[in-house]
């Protein structure tokens, strides 16, 4: 299982607009064949901070997500220009021992 954790920090005054776009991306992303989990979290302490937690079957499924028209239009085209910072991290899921 391929896991992505992305930390987004919105530019001043752009946080609500980013939240709306990310909210729209949830069902779109979950409809992709390889996407298992797509959670968007917003900090209670600093409304400009977002944490995205995503799980995909494989890294190729994640790459397909990034190449999708919805990602290119909404994340690359709209969200990224409104961010002060964006830090993606990649993990593999540690499954319980059998």
């Amino acid at each position: 299982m391929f896991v992505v954790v992305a930390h987004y920090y919105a530019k001043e005054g752009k946080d609500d607009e980013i939240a709306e776009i990310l909210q729209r991306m949830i069902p779109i992303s979950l409809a992709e064949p390889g996407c298992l989990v797509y959670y968007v979290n917003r900090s209670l302490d600093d409304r400009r901070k977002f944490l995205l937690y995503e799980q995909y079957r494989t890294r190729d499924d994640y790459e397909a997500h990034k190449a999708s028209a919805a990602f290119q239009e909404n994340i690359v085209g709209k969200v990224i220009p409104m961010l002060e910072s964006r830090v993606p991290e990649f993990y593999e899921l540690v499954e319980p021992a059998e």
Side-chain angles (χ1 to χ4, degrees), residues 6-7 10 20 26 28 30 36 40-41 45 48-49 51 65 74-75 82-83 92:
H7 301 268
E20 289 174 13
I26 296 167
I28 294 168
L30 288 171
L36 305 173
V40 175
N41 304 275
D45 298 323
R48 293 169 60 192
K49 282 177 143 177
L51 173 75
H65 166 71
N74 293 295
I75 304 302
M82 293 189 286
L83 296 176
E92 63 182 6

Side-chain angles (χ1 to χ4, degrees), residues 55-74:
Q55 287 184 353
Y56 298 88
R57 292 190 204 296
T58 66
R59 186 177 195 123
D60 287 343
D61 291 325
Y62 170 66
E63 295 300 331
H65 166 71
K66 288 195 331 182
S68 72
F71 184 91
Q72 291 299 312
E73 177 185 341
N74 293 295

Side-chain angles (χ1 to χ4, degrees), residues 19 21-31 35 38-40:
I21 294 167
L22 293 176
Q23 188 176 33
R24 288 194 306 266
M25 283 297 296
I26 296 167
I28 294 168
S29 299
L30 288 171
C35 182
Y38 193 92
Y39 293 135
V40 175

Side-chain angles (χ1 to χ4, degrees), residues 2 31 34 54 56 64 74 81 89:
F2 187 75
E54 308 166 39
Y56 298 88
N74 293 295
E89 300 174 340

